[in-house]
Amino acid sequence: MFDIKEELKKLPSKPGVYIMKNSNDEIIYVGKAVSLKNRVRQYFQSSKNHSPKVISMVSHIAEFEYIVTDTEMEALILECNLIKEHRPKYNIMLKDDKMYPYIKVTVNEDFPRVLTVRKINKDGAKYFGPITDAYAVRETVEMINKMWPLRKCKKVLPRDIGKERPCLNYHIGQCSAPCDGKISSEEYKKFVDEAVDFLDGKHNDIIKKMQEKMEKAAENLDFETAAAYRDKIKNIKSIEERQKMSNTGINDSDVIAFVRAFDDALIQVFFMRGGKMVGREHFLINNTEGMSRNEIITEFVKQFYSGTAFIPKELILSEELVEEERQIVIDFLSQLKGSKVTVTVPVRGEKKQLVELAYKNASITFEQFGEKMKRDESRTKGAVSEISTALGLKKVPERIEAYDISDIQGFHSVGAMVVFENGRPKRSDYRKFKIKSVIGANDFASMQEVLTRRINHGIKDSMDKKNGGFARLPDLIMMDGGKPQVKAAETVLMSFGLNIPVCGMFKDDRHRTKGILYKGKEIYLPSNSEGFKLATRIQDEVHRFAIEYHRKLRESSQIDSVLNHIPTIGSVRRKALLKHFGDIESIKNAEVEELLEVEGMNIPSAEAVYSFFRQQNPDIK
């Protein structure tokens, strides 16, 4: 048993990372500290100075762990890595974790290439970006490959020169074939230098060189070459016009501002490269309630730049970083970049105007997304809260698991489990079960098997210290069905000593969700309420998942049909019977005369089918 008071006494006065866990052994918060002893103890002292978020978190802490580091920098790096890996509930979290495309020029090779990548490596190559518009990246790379005959292959040159004939790109004029020795490295380097100048935005220099080559070709009456240079100049000018949306004296910088409302904030980032705005992006983050603006922007900077491939020379922010972390964050960014990074909070001038522009864009975007966020909140967490209130639960369930059993042609059964967390489907935790111990259509016994296997898996995963999948038990179980299904689940839970509320979702005569059965009572939510809509979505989803599974098994012929066990009935007649009658139940109730109407059926076969079902089911008249 973890004794928090005793463990607090053992904390060292050293830098490190602390990890808070709940009773399910799930990581719910990760933080760093200059002194673990002082920082962790603060959580368990008087709560009068704590924010509601911290008070809620502390109430769920069952135990904590810590990792001692040599420096605060090591602690910050470890904290970022652990947050990204475990995504703890109470940490501020980026909802949009993107890896942007970059254009890479492999100048570290003898015959460089131009590529699109999403990660920067310290390999001596030149990288341009990030570029938020993936289409613009493809368009730029394609234009470079058309304007300069650079190779696209992965051959190792000069080692592989002459080993193979030039590829198609050479024959259509889009490669100078260094692989066949048709161009020297010096001449090839001139093409590469021009392409790099193009990416650096030195368009005027390139246009000047191309105009000279165009005029020279025209003087030599080489009008085809002159026309090619004319078209290239036209393309460059076209791109230059599109990039003039912003042209400032600010070089490689990111401009960051944000707006917030309650538990959410929207961050707007402008990417400035070579004095031009090459892109912008917004990020939704949550769990910001009770945090200062300085804390929000500090956490964003730490999380975003610990995962992005490019660190600019300067961050231009709307707010100061948290004073105690300012220098360590700057050192962290500089270490990632490999050179000095500056952080500026401007009060006047061009940089201030850019920050204000980013803030305005954040406000506009937040207005657009704000209503959507409210609707999503109502459809998800709000809907779960409605269901919780209707059932009279003591706490709003975060994790809901729903179960359904589907018969396969009346003979075999499969089970399905779907998971909703905070009102949203968590498809990575969906599970399906092929019934092993039950023969025939027995939903009660099949459900007992499914629940038993699910809980046993959960116990095993918990012992193996796994955090996902089965390891976390549900806060509420919803069964597709009525009293028998609910009773089956309650019986299994009782055998394991678990006290998890179970309710059934029953349907009307038109096979639509009608209400919820809980503790023997039928509960009806208003049909236009979000709670009712969520219950309907859950019931439809688990039914869909079960049907999808048994259809897949049936199509792959992994399941026997009851028809397989009828003497003299082969695959052709089985298909004909199902096609004619539609389902097993209709075949069971058919008379011999009706069976003879099936294509390919003769008297002995019809009598075999008739006799089989009367012997198996003597109650059929």
Side-chain angles (χ1 to χ4, degrees):
M1 186 70 179
F2 192 89
D3 189 328
I4 290 180
K5 289 184 179 180
E6 287 300 315
E7 294 300 324
L8 287 173
K9 296 176 183 177
K10 301 175 185 177
L11 286 165
S13 299
K14 293 183 178 181
V17 170
Y18 53 93
I19 302 166
M20 304 299 194
K21 294 184 173 183
N22 63 15
S23 58
N24 292 323
D25 202 37
E26 296 169 322
I27 296 175
I28 59 174
Y29 187 77
V30 173
K32 74 169 181 63
V34 178
S35 170
L36 286 166
K37 184 176 183 178
N38 295 340
R39 185 70 186 97
V40 177
R41 281 183 170 182
Q42 289 177 0
Y43 288 104
F44 301 96
Q45 293 170 356
S46 174
S47 63
K48 64 180 181 180
N49 295 322
H50 291 335
S51 67
K53 174 181 157 184
V54 173
I55 293 172
S56 175
M57 182 191 77
V58 173
S59 69
H60 288 89
I61 296 174
E63 60 180 275
F64 60 81
E65 297 175 1
Y66 57 88
I67 302 170
V68 175
T69 59
D70 290 330
T71 64
E72 189 180 358
M73 171 72 76
E74 290 179 3
L76 188 148
I77 295 170
L78 181 58
E79 176 197 31
C80 290
N81 290 338
L82 290 174
I83 289 173
K84 282 186 175 294
E85 179 181 355
H86 298 288
R87 303 187 71 82
K89 175 182 177 180
Y90 289 98
N91 280 96
I92 179 173
M93 293 301 302
L94 282 175
K95 289 186 177 180
D96 199 347
D97 195 6
K98 296 181 176 71
M99 290 293 286
Y100 294 108
Y102 294 77
I103 296 175
K104 175 181 180 178
V105 184
T106 60
V107 293
N108 52 319
E109 297 177 340
D110 288 310
F111 293 91
R113 298 165 292 156
V114 178
L115 312 169
T116 300
V117 297
R118 289 186 179 269
K119 184 179 181 182
I120 289 181
N121 295 314
K122 294 183 179 180
D123 53 7
K126 288 183 72 72
Y127 292 85
F128 299 86
I131 305 170
T132 57
D133 186 347
Y135 175 77
V137 174
R138 291 194 300 272
E139 183 184 46
T140 302
V141 171
E142 286 175 6
M143 180 166 287
I144 288 172
N145 285 327
K146 288 179 181 177
M147 292 174 62
W148 292 281
L150 305 179
R151 70 186 182 101
K152 290 84 178 170
C153 64
K154 296 181 180 179
K155 294 176 183 176
V156 179
L157 303 181
R159 187 194 71 186
D160 295 337
I161 289 179
K163 289 186 177 181
E164 296 179 16
R165 290 181 298 176
C167 65
L168 179 63
N169 286 319
Y170 167 71
H171 296 290
I172 63 175
Q174 290 192 12
C175 180
S176 50
C179 63
D180 200 39
K182 296 187 180 298
I183 186 172
S184 67
S185 60
E186 292 76 16
E187 287 298 314
Y188 189 91
K189 187 176 183 299
K190 291 179 182 178
F191 292 141
V192 175
D193 289 342
E194 287 184 359
V196 169
D197 286 345
F198 172 76
L199 291 169
D200 274 330
K202 299 175 182 177
H203 297 160
N204 291 334
D205 293 341
I206 298 173
I207 290 172
K208 185 178 179 180
K209 290 179 183 177
M210 288 190 173
Q211 281 178 333
E212 291 173 357
K213 292 178 181 178
M214 180 182 70
E215 291 168 2
K216 187 175 181 179
E219 289 174 5
N220 294 331
L221 304 181
D222 186 357
F223 299 116
E224 186 176 345
T225 301
Y229 280 119
R230 179 201 62 200
D231 293 341
K232 289 178 180 180
I233 291 169
K234 183 179 178 181
N235 288 335
I236 293 172
K237 287 182 176 180
S238 174
I239 286 180
E240 190 176 35
E241 285 301 314
R242 291 203 298 271
Q243 289 184 343
K244 283 182 178 177
M245 58 185 285
S246 174
N247 198 339
T248 72
I250 299 168
N251 289 314
D252 291 349
S253 304
D254 286 354
V255 181
I256 305 173
F258 72 93
V259 293
R260 66 183 301 187
F262 305 108
D263 194 33
D264 297 294
L266 187 139
I267 306 274
Q268 182 77 58
V269 184
F270 287 167
F271 300 107
M272 311 295 295
R273 302 292 181 264
K276 299 181 178 68
M277 185 192 296
V278 298
R280 65 173 187 169
E281 193 55 82
H282 68 266
F283 302 86
L284 287 171
I285 57 178
N286 56 16
N287 284 341
T288 63
E289 188 174 4
M291 297 180 69
S292 68
R293 295 184 65 85
N294 308 89
E295 289 173 324
I296 291 172
I297 206 160
T298 301
E299 288 300 318
F300 172 78
V301 167
K302 284 158 50 178
Q303 285 194 42
F304 178 64
Y305 291 104
S306 66
T308 190
F310 182 82
I311 310 293
K313 293 179 181 177
E314 181 181 25
L315 298 188
I316 303 172
L317 309 180
S318 62
E319 319 289 334
E320 289 283 3
L321 297 174
V322 172
E323 183 61 32
E324 296 80 8
E325 295 194 65
R326 176 180 168 79
Q327 193 56 51
I328 192 67
V329 171
I330 293 173
D331 292 343
F332 171 56
L333 295 172
S334 301
Q335 180 176 305
L336 288 174
K337 183 173 179 60
S339 60
K340 186 178 179 181
V341 175
T342 58
V343 175
T344 306
V345 182
V347 293
R348 64 178 68 87
E350 189 176 26
K351 292 181 180 179
K352 178 64 174 176
Q353 291 174 0
L354 278 170
V355 168
E356 290 175 348
L357 183 61
Y359 178 82
K360 288 178 182 176
N361 276 268
S363 299
I364 293 169
T365 305
F366 197 80
E367 286 178 10
Q368 294 172 342
F369 280 84
E371 285 303 315
K372 181 178 182 296
M373 289 166 62
K374 289 177 184 176
R375 290 196 302 271
D376 286 347
E377 186 82 4
S378 176
R379 292 180 69 249
T380 55
K381 291 183 180 179
V384 175
S385 181
E386 285 183 21
I387 292 174
S388 177
T389 301
L391 300 182
L393 301 179
K394 292 182 179 179
K395 73 167 190 172
V396 178
E398 291 183 14
R399 181 184 175 96
I400 298 173
E401 291 182 4
Y403 294 86
D404 187 21
I405 299 294
S406 284
D407 295 330
I408 307 295
Q409 298 184 0
F411 195 67
H412 283 276
S413 298
V414 296
M417 161 186 143
V418 301
V419 178
F420 279 65
E421 286 194 356
N422 294 315
R424 299 177 185 274
K426 188 179 183 183
R427 293 183 175 84
S428 61
D429 282 4
Y430 284 17
R431 294 293 183 269
K432 47 199 176 188
F433 305 82
K434 193 185 294 184
I435 304 302
K436 300 176 180 179
S437 64
V438 182
I439 298 174
N442 186 333
D443 283 3
F444 187 91
S446 297
M447 187 56 70
Q448 285 187 315
E449 179 189 322
V450 168
L451 262 295
T452 300
R453 285 166 59 187
R454 183 265 178 269
I455 294 170
N456 279 327
H457 274 301
I459 293 170
K460 183 179 182 299
D461 285 356
S462 296
M463 292 175 65
D464 294 341
K465 300 292 184 180
K466 293 182 181 178
N467 289 321
F470 283 123
R472 182 179 177 184
L473 293 176
D475 302 308
L476 174 66
I477 292 175
M478 302 185 77
M479 313 299 295
D480 183 19
K483 291 181 180 180
Q485 287 79 6
V486 172
K487 183 64 177 177
E490 290 176 339
T491 302
V492 173
L493 293 173
M494 192 180 302
S495 69
F496 282 94
L498 296 173
N499 185 24
I500 300 173
V502 181
C503 64
M505 300 174 287
F506 57 92
K507 297 184 177 182
D508 59 21
D509 295 337
R510 299 174 67 182
H511 211 63
R512 297 181 305 186
T513 303
K514 184 177 181 181
I516 298 174
L517 180 71
Y518 184 59
K519 292 186 176 179
K521 296 180 180 180
E522 293 184 356
I523 298 169
Y524 298 93
L525 295 165
S527 60
N528 62 346
S529 69
E530 293 298 339
F532 179 83
K533 293 175 184 176
L534 176 60
T536 301
R537 287 198 299 275
I538 292 173
Q539 188 171 27
D540 290 346
E541 178 71 350
V542 70
H543 185 67
R544 177 202 65 78
F545 192 55
I547 292 295
E548 183 181 271
Y549 180 41
H550 85 56
R551 182 181 295 122
K552 180 180 179 181
L553 291 178
R554 185 171 67 244
E555 288 173 354
S556 60
S557 302
Q558 294 178 9
I559 292 182
D560 281 342
S561 165
V562 67
L563 300 180
N564 291 355
H565 298 268
I566 304 176
T568 75
I569 300 299
S571 60
V572 175
R573 286 186 175 133
R574 284 200 298 270
K575 290 178 181 177
L577 283 165
L578 287 170
K579 182 179 179 180
H580 183 86
F581 289 100
D583 55 51
I584 294 294
E585 196 63 31
S586 298
I587 299 172
K588 283 181 182 180
N589 293 304
E591 298 295 331
V592 174
E593 291 77 11
E594 294 174 296
L595 292 168
L596 284 170
E597 294 176 7
V598 176
E599 184 179 353
M601 190 70 69
N602 54 29
I603 292 175
S605 298
E607 289 179 343
V609 174
Y610 182 85
S611 300
F612 176 82
F613 284 117
R614 276 15 179 222
Q615 292 168 4
Q616 296 285 320
N617 302 278
D619 292 333
I620 296 178
K621 302 298 183 186

